[in-house]
Amino acid sequence: MGFATIIGAIVGVFLLLVVAYLLIGATLITAELVMTAQRDMTEVQTDRTGTSIAIEGHQIVDNTTLYILVKNDGNTVIRNPKQMDLFIATEDGSQERKSWEPTDPVLLSPDLINPGFFDPGETLNMSVSIDALSPPTWVKVATPAGTAASAYL
C-alpha cells in the first residue's frame, strides 16, 4: 500500500514536470513570435521614415502625354519602383489612379549602383497618357511604403 502511494507521487510529479515544460515552451515560442513581429514592424517603420520622394518637374507633350520627374531624396532604396502609384486630378475635379510607364530607354538615371532599384539620388522619369480635353492640374506619386509627394502642374 505504501508502494502505491510512492508510484502515485512519482506519476504526479512527472505530470507536473511535463505541464511545466509545455507551459515554458509555449511562453518561449510566444515571446519569440512577438519579438519577430516587433522587429519586422521596426524595419517597416525605418523604411517608411527613411523614404522620401520629391516631384522635380513635369512636361506635357502634345496634350496627350505627361512626363513626371520623381527624385528619391531619402536614404532608403525603393526596391520595386514599378509598384509606385500615380494619381492625377483634372480641372473638372475628378481624380483617378493612372497606370504609368518608364520612359525609354532608361527607367532611372543614373542607375549605376543597383540596376532596377530606385536608389537615393536617382531620378525616375514617369510617362502617363492623359486626356487632351481635361488636362491634369495636380499629381501625386506614392511609394509602396506609403510615402507620397504631390505637386500642382
Side-chain angles (χ1 to χ4, degrees):
M1 189 115 159
F3 190 65
T5 306
I6 293 175
I7 291 177
I10 291 173
V11 170
V13 169
F14 177 73
L15 288 175
L16 281 173
L17 290 174
V18 168
V19 169
Y21 177 76
L22 290 175
L23 286 174
I24 291 171
T27 303
L28 291 175
I29 289 172
T30 303
E32 183 179 347
L33 286 173
V34 168
M35 287 184 340
T36 302
Q38 287 177 338
R39 184 175 39 245
D40 291 346
M41 285 306 299
T42 301
E43 288 177 10
V44 167
Q45 288 295 67
T46 302
D47 282 349
R48 174 177 267 171
T49 57
T51 303
S52 177
I53 58 173
I55 297 176
E56 296 276 304
H58 71 281
Q59 180 180 11
I60 297 176
V61 177
D62 298 331
N63 287 332
T64 59
T65 306
L66 171 64
Y67 295 101
I68 304 165
L69 293 174
V70 180
K71 183 174 184 178
N72 183 352
D73 59 357
N75 58 13
T76 302
V77 175
I78 299 171
R79 288 177 176 77
N80 195 351
K82 292 184 180 179
Q83 290 182 344
M84 293 173 63
D85 292 323
L86 175 67
F87 301 94
I88 291 180
T90 58
E91 289 179 349
D92 61 4
S94 65
Q95 297 179 10
E96 63 180 318
R97 181 176 178 261
K98 291 283 210 171
S99 297
W100 62 275
E101 295 293 325
T103 59
D104 58 320
V106 179
L107 169 66
L108 302 164
S109 122
D111 198 18
L112 304 173
I113 297 175
N114 295 319
F117 289 178
F118 194 13
D119 295 313
E122 290 182 344
T123 301
L124 171 65
N125 195 352
M126 303 170 95
S127 170
V128 62
S129 296
I130 57 172
D131 185 12
L133 298 177
S134 59
T137 57
W138 176 82
V139 66
K140 180 178 185 177
V141 178
T143 67
T147 304
S150 62
Y152 286 98
L153 306 179

